Amino acid sequence: MILVTGGAGYIGSHVCMALLDAGLDVVALDNLSNSNQASLQRVQSLCGRSLVFRHADIRNEEAIYDILRACGVSAVIHLAGLKAVGDSSVRPMTYYENNVLGTMRLISAMRKAHVKTLVFSSSATVYGVPTYLPLDEQHPLGPTNPYGRTKLFIEEMLKDLYRSDDEWRLGILRYFNPVGAHESGLIGEDPVGVPNNLVPFVAQVAIGKQEKLKICGNDYDTPDGTGIRDYIHVVDLASGHLSVLSHLKQPGVLTLNLGTGNGNSVLEVIRTFEAVSGRPIPYEIGERRAGDVAICYADPTLAGETLGWQSTRSLAQMCADHWRWQLNNPCGYRGT
Ligand code: NAD
Ligand code: UDP
């Protein structure tokens, strides 16, 4: 039985889907602070298998311990956390409490329950401003915002944990920019309020929920002046979790980038989305967003060599799948 914390969320629901599809049993835990349980109902009807859902908070050590014991959990995929970069500067202590303290409580419950296999959702944001590209796992770390620092502190905590007890099997996955949705159009990203991220915002412009996109700067040192990121299909990302789980047979700490190795500019994303949706994406050029870097993309070689994993879906497929989800669910899960 695999415990997925944050299982009802965007990435979590796709991870649950991948695990169930692979024949594994799943208990999904979520406090539903940024998600809707309907995602998991859809996951179950899509794959024709059921999972266990527990409405709980990772900061509640007793509740986690009870779930680990009662469900016979053998490994944890830990996605629960707050993730809005801008918000983390406004409410840093909330982020440290939720993400760092929450992970400490989770680990404590795992130790008591003798469950010592953990896969953690980290982020490319731990690299901060790139000093060279593509970003490999050896690149110096230096996140520029509180959210990124919660990820870095948790990474360091996990490494210390292993140094103190070499029975742990730890996977640290540094995600680049997850976008897209399951090809069914039934599960996807359901942001609360105005989306902060590019692709969800573009999708809302395409469907008419937002009037136009503001491009955050077109004076970067990139071919078209707009920022470049490594967008990765959420289904490819989810399959990476399956690969790392089956690889964590030996104790150790495995830190891997999950990205495509390709960079695309904001204008390329807009054009691709227009092409697959057949809808215009009006935009205006605005100021640079504080803390944004010009270019960020992964060197995914290590994940390829270690796991035999690589992303397979193109930017066009990411946009097409994101669009199908948006079109079928204009109000996200709240319409269900
Ligand atoms: P999400 O908000 O959709 O999912 C996170 C889930 O965790 C939500 O369902 C939320 O309700 C739950 N949660 C939050 N705090 C909790 C707590 N204390 N106890 C129990 N549940 C809690 O976000 P996502 O995009 O699916 O991200 C999943 C993980 O991946 C996060 O840790 C995030 O930081 C990380 N990540 C995301 C991205 C991205 O761009 N989406 C990039 C890099 C890393
Ligand atoms: N971006 C933009 N307008 C928006 C949101 C994002 O131009 O409304 C740009 C942003 O400056 C960056 C890229 O799109 O170059 C991806 O931003 P996102 O927030 O999705 O990811 P992150 O910056 O966290 O990598």
Side-chain angles (χ1 to χ4, degrees), residues 10-11 13-15 17-18 21 178-184 187 232-242 309-313 317-318 321:
Y10 171 45
I11 301 170
S13 53
H14 290 84
V15 168
M17 180 84 203
D21 268 346
V179 298
H182 188 264
E183 62 180 9
S184 62
I187 55 171
I232 175 168
H233 198 296
V234 67
V235 173
D236 283 333
L237 189 78
S239 82
H241 292 72
L242 207 58
W309 169 92
Q310 62 179 26
S311 67
T312 58
R313 292 164 177 83
Q317 194 166 352
M318 298 177 211
D321 289 340

Side-chain angles (χ1 to χ4, degrees), residues 1-3 68 71-76 110 114-118 245:
M1 180 73 89
I2 312 296
L3 170 65
L68 292 170
C71 298
V73 171
S74 58
V76 177
M110 289 176 70
H114 305 290
V115 178
K116 293 190 174 177
T117 303
L118 175 72
L245 253 196

Side-chain angles (χ1 to χ4, degrees), residues 9-123:
Y10 171 45
I11 301 170
S13 53
H14 290 84
V15 168
C16 289
M17 180 84 203
L19 295 171
L20 290 171
D21 268 346
L24 294 163
D25 294 321
V26 175
V27 50
L29 173 163
D30 207 297
N31 68 359
L32 302 178
S33 59
N34 195 39
S35 54
N36 189 312
Q37 207 185 322
S39 63
L40 293 174
Q41 279 146 14
R42 292 188 183 189
V43 163
Q44 293 174 90
S45 49
L46 260 174
C47 63
R49 294 193 57 213
S50 44
L51 52 70
V52 178
F53 175 69
R54 290 284 180 268
H55 188 181
D57 195 297
I58 52 166
R59 289 165 292 184
N60 184 342
E61 187 177 325
E62 252 179 53
I64 306 297
Y65 176 79
D66 288 344
I67 292 168
L68 292 170
R69 295 305 298 259
C71 298
V73 171
S74 58
V76 177
I77 299 183
H78 174 35
L79 299 110
L82 299 176
K83 63 165 183 175
V85 171
D87 186 38
S88 77
S89 292
V90 179
R91 308 187 292 152
M93 299 324 290
T94 305
Y95 277 67
Y96 288 118
E97 205 232 335
N98 198 83
N99 296 3
V100 180
L101 180 69
T103 304
M104 291 168 69
R105 297 255 165 87
L106 171 69
I107 289 169
S108 183
M110 289 176 70
R111 283 170 66 180
K112 284 183 193 149
H114 305 290
V115 178
K116 293 190 174 177
T117 303
L118 175 72
V119 178
F120 170 61
S121 299
S122 188
S123 166

Side-chain angles (χ1 to χ4, degrees), residues 228-255:
I228 290 180
R229 296 289 183 275
D230 185 337
Y231 298 95
I232 175 168
H233 198 296
V234 67
V235 173
D236 283 333
L237 189 78
S239 82
H241 292 72
L242 207 58
S243 305
V244 82
L245 253 196
S246 52
H247 193 80
L248 286 180
K249 300 290 177 223
Q250 302 299 324
V253 184
L254 186 58
T255 303

